[in-house]
Amino acid sequence: MDESQLRPERMPRHVAIIMDGNGRWAESRGASRVEGHRAGLESCREVLRSASDLGIENLTLYAFSLENWSRPKAEVRDLMHLLETYLDEEIEEVDRNGVRVLAIGRNDRLPPSVRARVDAAVERTQHNRAMTLVFALSYGGRAEIVDAAKGIARDVAAGRVDPDRIDEKTFASYLYAPEVPDPDLLIRTGAEMRVSNFLLWQIAYTEIYTTAVMWPDFRRKHLVEAIVDYQKRERRFGMTSAQVSEAAQRDG
Ligand code: FPP
């Protein structure tokens, strides 16, 4: 993919990725699933560097879903171990490059050793502004909506929020990372066409791109391909094509 096809003025502000296919990548090579996850970690590193380089302000990686807790114990342990390795090895560079790390999900379920590293990474990078890297860990989209509803219910019960004044903006402010804009582009690797309980509230108007490339094979050129595809689309947000053109002319 020729990067000259990229239009810098139409870069997505937020790219979210469902990193699928580690297991199949490994199985097709006669390797163990953990080898697939380890190779997938390398893709995470390359994609973060490329995204930062390309000027993408926010990158969310679906690293571990709530549903993933029901995988075989050994695989869960391997994934947690890889996450620790990633945080230990990368935090220096991530911080140096001005990347702010956030974590979304029910992270009280994470092993203490992982949680401590996640908390330390979030704390250490909290003032960085070059880019935001969001890890979805122990994350479920429905659980996030339930947690937001609980937060609002508590504030209503305490008299801090008037139920008649709750609108979409109020609701969104109770989500895990309200400061991060909704994703413009959602990429799913591994030839599946599902949303898999990822950012359900936030993807209402997100453009979806799927590819048969397995996550361990995903490289900068694939990210560029996805962005070029995204940039060719017309985002109408429920308006007509004519209205979109008018608005674009008006906004220069
Ligand atoms: C999907 O592959 C991927 C995951 C379950 C987790 C993503 C994990 C990584 C990319 C590696 C670790 C990185 C971090 C940051 C912890 P799959 O196992 O569902 O693949 P399959 O559908 O082929 O079985």
Tab-separated table of all heavy atoms in Angstrom, residues 9-55:
chain	number	residue	atom	x	y	z
A	9	GLU	N	-5.473	15.307	6.082
A	9	GLU	CA	-6.573	16.117	6.641
A	9	GLU	C	-7.784	15.245	6.990
A	9	GLU	O	-8.717	15.724	7.630
A	9	GLU	CB	-6.951	17.266	5.685
A	9	GLU	CG	-7.779	16.904	4.451
A	9	GLU	CD	-7.018	16.155	3.343
A	9	GLU	OE1	-5.809	15.872	3.495
A	9	GLU	OE2	-7.648	15.836	2.320
A	10	ARG	N	-7.755	13.984	6.582
A	10	ARG	CA	-8.888	13.102	6.912
A	10	ARG	C	-8.467	11.914	7.759
A	10	ARG	O	-9.051	10.831	7.669
A	10	ARG	CB	-9.551	12.603	5.624
A	10	ARG	CG	-10.288	13.696	4.873
A	10	ARG	CD	-11.252	13.131	3.864
A	10	ARG	NE	-12.350	12.413	4.491
A	10	ARG	CZ	-13.394	11.931	3.843
A	10	ARG	NH1	-13.484	12.076	2.530
A	10	ARG	NH2	-14.358	11.295	4.464
A	11	MET	N	-7.449	12.111	8.582
A	11	MET	CA	-7.007	11.009	9.443
A	11	MET	C	-8.078	10.731	10.495
A	11	MET	O	-8.644	11.671	11.062
A	11	MET	CB	-5.718	11.380	10.182
A	11	MET	CG	-4.467	11.244	9.360
A	11	MET	SD	-4.378	9.730	8.414
A	11	MET	CE	-3.318	8.800	9.411
A	12	PRO	N	-8.374	9.462	10.769
A	12	PRO	CA	-9.295	9.187	11.877
A	12	PRO	C	-8.664	9.653	13.180
A	12	PRO	O	-7.459	9.491	13.392
A	12	PRO	CB	-9.433	7.659	11.847
A	12	PRO	CG	-8.270	7.162	11.064
A	12	PRO	CD	-7.852	8.264	10.144
A	13	ARG	N	-9.470	10.251	14.048
A	13	ARG	CA	-8.929	10.704	15.342
A	13	ARG	C	-8.785	9.532	16.297
A	13	ARG	O	-8.002	9.564	17.230
A	13	ARG	CB	-9.883	11.724	15.981
A	13	ARG	CG	-9.756	13.106	15.408
A	13	ARG	CD	-10.628	14.053	16.200
A	13	ARG	NE	-10.092	14.300	17.539
A	13	ARG	CZ	-10.822	14.752	18.565
A	13	ARG	NH1	-12.114	14.991	18.412
A	13	ARG	NH2	-10.269	14.966	19.738
A	14	HIS	N	-9.628	8.523	16.095
A	14	HIS	CA	-9.605	7.376	17.009
A	14	HIS	C	-9.784	6.083	16.206
A	14	HIS	O	-10.778	5.922	15.501
A	14	HIS	CB	-10.738	7.535	18.033
A	14	HIS	CG	-10.786	6.442	19.060
A	14	HIS	ND1	-11.739	6.405	20.052
A	14	HIS	CD2	-10.009	5.333	19.259
A	14	HIS	CE1	-11.544	5.341	20.811
A	14	HIS	NE2	-10.506	4.666	20.348
A	15	VAL	N	-8.805	5.198	16.317
A	15	VAL	CA	-8.891	3.881	15.685
A	15	VAL	C	-8.980	2.839	16.799
A	15	VAL	O	-8.178	2.865	17.745
A	15	VAL	CB	-7.648	3.601	14.800
A	15	VAL	CG1	-7.683	2.186	14.243
A	15	VAL	CG2	-7.559	4.621	13.654
A	16	ALA	N	-9.969	1.957	16.703
A	16	ALA	CA	-10.118	0.877	17.691
A	16	ALA	C	-9.916	-0.450	16.962
A	16	ALA	O	-10.350	-0.593	15.813
A	16	ALA	CB	-11.505	0.948	18.327
A	17	ILE	N	-9.250	-1.386	17.618
A	17	ILE	CA	-8.924	-2.645	16.923
A	17	ILE	C	-9.329	-3.882	17.733
A	17	ILE	O	-8.981	-4.012	18.912
A	17	ILE	CB	-7.415	-2.740	16.589
A	17	ILE	CG1	-6.941	-1.470	15.857
A	17	ILE	CG2	-7.134	-3.975	15.739
A	17	ILE	CD1	-5.496	-1.510	15.391
A	18	ILE	N	-10.060	-4.782	17.061
A	18	ILE	CA	-10.328	-6.116	17.614
A	18	ILE	C	-9.256	-7.024	17.016
A	18	ILE	O	-9.279	-7.319	15.816
A	18	ILE	CB	-11.746	-6.616	17.252
A	18	ILE	CG1	-12.810	-5.629	17.757
A	18	ILE	CG2	-11.976	-8.023	17.811
A	18	ILE	CD1	-14.256	-6.003	17.383
A	19	MET	N	-8.306	-7.408	17.864
A	19	MET	CA	-7.116	-8.118	17.387
A	19	MET	C	-7.403	-9.624	17.395
A	19	MET	O	-7.152	-10.287	18.385
A	19	MET	CB	-5.943	-7.807	18.318
A	19	MET	CG	-5.741	-6.316	18.577
A	19	MET	SD	-4.369	-5.956	19.688
A	19	MET	CE	-5.007	-6.462	21.276
A	20	ASP	N	-7.914	-10.128	16.292
A	20	ASP	CA	-8.351	-11.534	16.287
A	20	ASP	C	-7.459	-12.378	15.369
A	20	ASP	O	-6.918	-11.875	14.390
A	20	ASP	CB	-9.813	-11.589	15.817
A	20	ASP	CG	-10.457	-12.925	16.155
A	20	ASP	OD1	-9.901	-13.676	16.985
A	20	ASP	OD2	-11.518	-13.223	15.578
A	21	GLY	N	-7.362	-13.655	15.716
A	21	GLY	CA	-6.685	-14.602	14.830
A	21	GLY	C	-5.358	-15.134	15.349
A	21	GLY	O	-4.681	-15.883	14.641
A	22	ASN	N	-4.984	-14.784	16.570
A	22	ASN	CA	-3.704	-15.291	17.112
A	22	ASN	C	-3.691	-16.819	17.164
A	22	ASN	O	-2.707	-17.459	16.817
A	22	ASN	CB	-3.479	-14.777	18.543
A	22	ASN	CG	-3.333	-13.284	18.622
A	22	ASN	OD1	-3.175	-12.626	17.599
A	22	ASN	ND2	-3.372	-12.737	19.827
A	23	GLY	N	-4.807	-17.384	17.639
A	23	GLY	CA	-4.891	-18.842	17.802
A	23	GLY	C	-4.789	-19.554	16.462
A	23	GLY	O	-4.002	-20.500	16.298
A	24	ARG	N	-5.555	-19.066	15.484
A	24	ARG	CA	-5.530	-19.727	14.158
A	24	ARG	C	-4.176	-19.569	13.479
A	24	ARG	O	-3.680	-20.478	12.824
A	24	ARG	CB	-6.653	-19.172	13.265
A	24	ARG	CG	-8.011	-19.794	13.581
A	24	ARG	CD	-9.135	-19.000	13.005
A	24	ARG	NE	-9.313	-17.756	13.738
A	24	ARG	CZ	-9.906	-16.669	13.248
A	24	ARG	NH1	-10.366	-16.682	12.013
A	24	ARG	NH2	-10.055	-15.595	13.985
A	25	TRP	N	-3.566	-18.401	13.671
A	25	TRP	CA	-2.226	-18.158	13.099
A	25	TRP	C	-1.260	-19.209	13.639
A	25	TRP	O	-0.473	-19.789	12.897
A	25	TRP	CB	-1.773	-16.757	13.488
A	25	TRP	CG	-0.445	-16.326	12.961
A	25	TRP	CD1	-0.188	-15.678	11.786
A	25	TRP	CD2	0.835	-16.514	13.609
A	25	TRP	NE1	1.161	-15.435	11.654
A	25	TRP	CE2	1.812	-15.947	12.766
A	25	TRP	CE3	1.250	-17.094	14.806
A	25	TRP	CZ2	3.172	-15.936	13.084
A	25	TRP	CZ3	2.605	-17.104	15.114
A	25	TRP	CH2	3.543	-16.523	14.255
A	26	ALA	N	-1.347	-19.460	14.955
A	26	ALA	CA	-0.439	-20.428	15.583
A	26	ALA	C	-0.750	-21.847	15.115
A	26	ALA	O	0.145	-22.599	14.720
A	26	ALA	CB	-0.555	-20.327	17.108
A	27	GLU	N	-2.046	-22.185	15.135
A	27	GLU	CA	-2.429	-23.550	14.752
A	27	GLU	C	-1.983	-23.869	13.326
A	27	GLU	O	-1.511	-24.969	13.028
A	27	GLU	CB	-3.942	-23.731	14.895
A	27	GLU	CG	-4.353	-24.056	16.340
A	27	GLU	CD	-5.771	-23.595	16.682
A	27	GLU	OE1	-6.611	-23.489	15.757
A	27	GLU	OE2	-6.027	-23.314	17.883
A	28	SER	N	-2.087	-22.884	12.420
A	28	SER	CA	-1.709	-23.139	11.030
A	28	SER	C	-0.206	-23.396	10.888
A	28	SER	O	0.267	-23.865	9.859
A	28	SER	CB	-2.133	-21.968	10.135
A	28	SER	OG	-1.279	-20.874	10.378
A	29	ARG	N	0.552	-23.065	11.929
A	29	ARG	CA	1.996	-23.311	11.900
A	29	ARG	C	2.383	-24.471	12.804
A	29	ARG	O	3.569	-24.696	13.063
A	29	ARG	CB	2.741	-22.073	12.417
A	29	ARG	CG	2.774	-20.988	11.411
A	29	ARG	CD	3.202	-19.670	12.025
A	29	ARG	NE	3.398	-18.698	10.979
A	29	ARG	CZ	2.422	-18.164	10.241
A	29	ARG	NH1	1.170	-18.508	10.462
A	29	ARG	NH2	2.686	-17.301	9.285
A	30	GLY	N	1.390	-25.141	13.351
A	30	GLY	CA	1.665	-26.245	14.274
A	30	GLY	C	2.253	-25.746	15.588
A	30	GLY	O	2.937	-26.477	16.300
A	31	ALA	N	2.025	-24.468	15.895
A	31	ALA	CA	2.568	-23.902	17.140
A	31	ALA	C	1.463	-23.827	18.190
A	31	ALA	O	0.281	-24.008	17.885
A	31	ALA	CB	3.131	-22.517	16.868
A	32	SER	N	1.860	-23.555	19.440
A	32	SER	CA	0.857	-23.463	20.504
A	32	SER	C	0.181	-22.095	20.446
A	32	SER	O	0.739	-21.135	19.905
A	32	SER	CB	1.533	-23.656	21.858
A	32	SER	OG	2.454	-22.605	22.047
A	33	ARG	N	-1.001	-21.994	21.046
A	33	ARG	CA	-1.748	-20.733	21.000
A	33	ARG	C	-0.951	-19.572	21.602
A	33	ARG	O	-0.996	-18.451	21.103
A	33	ARG	CB	-3.093	-20.885	21.717
A	33	ARG	CG	-4.065	-21.826	21.007
A	33	ARG	CD	-5.376	-21.925	21.758
A	33	ARG	NE	-6.046	-20.627	21.826
A	33	ARG	CZ	-6.818	-20.121	20.863
A	33	ARG	NH1	-7.025	-20.798	19.764
A	33	ARG	NH2	-7.386	-18.947	21.023
A	34	VAL	N	-0.186	-19.889	22.655
A	34	VAL	CA	0.575	-18.796	23.288
A	34	VAL	C	1.594	-18.198	22.314
A	34	VAL	O	1.873	-16.997	22.351
A	34	VAL	CB	1.237	-19.239	24.621
A	34	VAL	CG1	2.296	-20.290	24.405
A	34	VAL	CG2	1.817	-18.034	25.354
A	35	GLU	N	2.103	-19.033	21.407
A	35	GLU	CA	3.029	-18.504	20.392
A	35	GLU	C	2.311	-17.479	19.524
A	35	GLU	O	2.882	-16.468	19.110
A	35	GLU	CB	3.580	-19.631	19.505
A	35	GLU	CG	4.573	-20.541	20.203
A	35	GLU	CD	5.714	-19.760	20.850
A	35	GLU	OE1	6.185	-18.784	20.239
A	35	GLU	OE2	6.092	-20.093	21.980
A	36	GLY	N	1.041	-17.752	19.246
A	36	GLY	CA	0.238	-16.806	18.460
A	36	GLY	C	0.069	-15.497	19.207
A	36	GLY	O	0.199	-14.412	18.633
A	37	HIS	N	-0.209	-15.585	20.499
A	37	HIS	CA	-0.376	-14.363	21.288
A	37	HIS	C	0.946	-13.589	21.379
A	37	HIS	O	0.966	-12.371	21.308
A	37	HIS	CB	-0.885	-14.693	22.696
A	37	HIS	CG	-2.264	-15.302	22.707
A	37	HIS	ND1	-3.303	-14.800	21.954
A	37	HIS	CD2	-2.781	-16.373	23.373
A	37	HIS	CE1	-4.392	-15.524	22.164
A	37	HIS	NE2	-4.103	-16.498	23.008
A	38	ARG	N	2.045	-14.359	21.513
A	38	ARG	CA	3.353	-13.682	21.594
A	38	ARG	C	3.639	-12.928	20.296
A	38	ARG	O	4.100	-11.783	20.312
A	38	ARG	CB	4.445	-14.725	21.866
A	38	ARG	CG	5.743	-14.100	22.297
A	38	ARG	CD	6.699	-15.117	22.876
A	38	ARG	NE	6.275	-15.658	24.149
A	38	ARG	CZ	6.312	-16.960	24.495
A	38	ARG	NH1	6.733	-17.856	23.617
A	38	ARG	NH2	5.916	-17.355	25.684
A	39	ALA	N	3.336	-13.579	19.179
A	39	ALA	CA	3.543	-12.906	17.882
A	39	ALA	C	2.597	-11.710	17.766
A	39	ALA	O	2.945	-10.681	17.194
A	39	ALA	CB	3.316	-13.905	16.742
A	40	GLY	N	1.403	-11.850	18.356
A	40	GLY	CA	0.428	-10.761	18.317
A	40	GLY	C	0.913	-9.530	19.071
A	40	GLY	O	0.595	-8.394	18.727
A	41	LEU	N	1.723	-9.782	20.077
A	41	LEU	CA	2.274	-8.679	20.864
A	41	LEU	C	3.183	-7.804	19.987
A	41	LEU	O	3.202	-6.578	20.105
A	41	LEU	CB	3.073	-9.268	22.028
A	41	LEU	CG	3.241	-8.427	23.267
A	41	LEU	CD1	1.897	-7.961	23.789
A	41	LEU	CD2	3.960	-9.241	24.350
A	42	GLU	N	3.917	-8.452	19.099
A	42	GLU	CA	4.783	-7.714	18.180
A	42	GLU	C	3.941	-6.807	17.271
A	42	GLU	O	4.321	-5.666	16.983
A	42	GLU	CB	5.602	-8.727	17.355
A	42	GLU	CG	6.806	-8.154	16.660
A	42	GLU	CD	7.622	-7.190	17.527
A	42	GLU	OE1	7.934	-7.521	18.685
A	42	GLU	OE2	7.938	-6.080	17.027
A	43	SER	N	2.771	-7.316	16.870
A	43	SER	CA	1.882	-6.481	16.048
A	43	SER	C	1.406	-5.274	16.845
A	43	SER	O	1.293	-4.173	16.307
A	43	SER	CB	0.667	-7.287	15.573
A	43	SER	OG	1.081	-8.435	14.877
A	44	CYS	N	1.129	-5.487	18.136
A	44	CYS	CA	0.707	-4.350	18.992
A	44	CYS	C	1.789	-3.279	18.977
A	44	CYS	O	1.509	-2.090	18.833
A	44	CYS	CB	0.480	-4.777	20.442
A	44	CYS	SG	-0.867	-5.936	20.684
A	45	ARG	N	3.030	-3.714	19.130
A	45	ARG	CA	4.147	-2.744	19.168
A	45	ARG	C	4.208	-1.972	17.860
A	45	ARG	O	4.290	-0.746	17.852
A	45	ARG	CB	5.482	-3.485	19.360
A	45	ARG	CG	5.634	-4.106	20.712
A	45	ARG	CD	7.081	-4.605	20.911
A	45	ARG	NE	7.243	-5.117	22.248
A	45	ARG	CZ	7.270	-6.428	22.543
A	45	ARG	NH1	7.161	-7.343	21.602
A	45	ARG	NH2	7.416	-6.821	23.800
A	46	GLU	N	4.158	-2.707	16.742
A	46	GLU	CA	4.284	-2.029	15.441
A	46	GLU	C	3.106	-1.099	15.172
A	46	GLU	O	3.274	0.005	14.653
A	46	GLU	CB	4.429	-3.049	14.306
A	46	GLU	CG	4.433	-2.324	12.967
A	46	GLU	CD	5.080	-3.075	11.824
A	46	GLU	OE1	5.901	-3.971	12.071
A	46	GLU	OE2	4.745	-2.746	10.673
A	47	VAL	N	1.910	-1.551	15.540
A	47	VAL	CA	0.727	-0.728	15.262
A	47	VAL	C	0.743	0.537	16.111
A	47	VAL	O	0.403	1.615	15.626
A	47	VAL	CB	-0.566	-1.554	15.451
A	47	VAL	CG1	-1.789	-0.661	15.528
A	47	VAL	CG2	-0.708	-2.540	14.298
A	48	LEU	N	1.184	0.433	17.362
A	48	LEU	CA	1.255	1.636	18.200
A	48	LEU	C	2.247	2.637	17.594
A	48	LEU	O	1.955	3.824	17.445
A	48	LEU	CB	1.657	1.276	19.635
A	48	LEU	CG	1.947	2.478	20.532
A	48	LEU	CD1	0.704	3.371	20.678
A	48	LEU	CD2	2.421	2.034	21.918
A	49	ARG	N	3.433	2.144	17.207
A	49	ARG	CA	4.437	3.051	16.608
A	49	ARG	C	3.899	3.678	15.336
A	49	ARG	O	4.035	4.888	15.116
A	49	ARG	CB	5.713	2.281	16.274
A	49	ARG	CG	6.508	2.006	17.497
A	49	ARG	CD	7.905	1.466	17.213
A	49	ARG	NE	8.395	0.904	18.457
A	49	ARG	CZ	8.746	-0.363	18.620
A	49	ARG	NH1	8.701	-1.210	17.616
A	49	ARG	NH2	9.152	-0.795	19.790
A	50	SER	N	3.265	2.862	14.503
A	50	SER	CA	2.763	3.377	13.216
A	50	SER	C	1.650	4.387	13.446
A	50	SER	O	1.601	5.423	12.782
A	50	SER	CB	2.223	2.236	12.346
A	50	SER	OG	3.162	1.207	12.262
A	51	ALA	N	0.757	4.085	14.375
A	51	ALA	CA	-0.368	4.985	14.625
A	51	ALA	C	0.159	6.335	15.107
A	51	ALA	O	-0.285	7.397	14.654
A	51	ALA	CB	-1.309	4.372	15.657
A	52	SER	N	1.158	6.290	15.979
A	52	SER	CA	1.728	7.519	16.515
A	52	SER	C	2.385	8.312	15.376
A	52	SER	O	2.189	9.518	15.233
A	52	SER	CB	2.711	7.121	17.614
A	52	SER	OG	3.674	8.084	17.809
A	53	ASP	N	3.108	7.602	14.549
A	53	ASP	CA	3.785	8.176	13.390
A	53	ASP	C	2.811	8.816	12.390
A	53	ASP	O	3.087	9.839	11.789
A	53	ASP	CB	4.455	6.976	12.723
A	53	ASP	CG	5.697	7.360	12.024
A	53	ASP	OD1	6.401	8.208	12.561
A	53	ASP	OD2	5.940	6.805	10.935
A	54	LEU	N	1.669	8.177	12.227
A	54	LEU	CA	0.688	8.655	11.238
A	54	LEU	C	-0.201	9.768	11.793
A	54	LEU	O	-1.043	10.309	11.096
A	54	LEU	CB	-0.213	7.484	10.771
A	54	LEU	CG	0.491	6.374	9.990
A	54	LEU	CD1	-0.418	5.149	9.847
A	54	LEU	CD2	0.923	6.861	8.619
A	55	GLY	N	-0.029	10.073	13.074
A	55	GLY	CA	-0.796	11.174	13.660
A	55	GLY	C	-2.189	10.776	14.140
A	55	GLY	O	-3.070	11.620	14.251
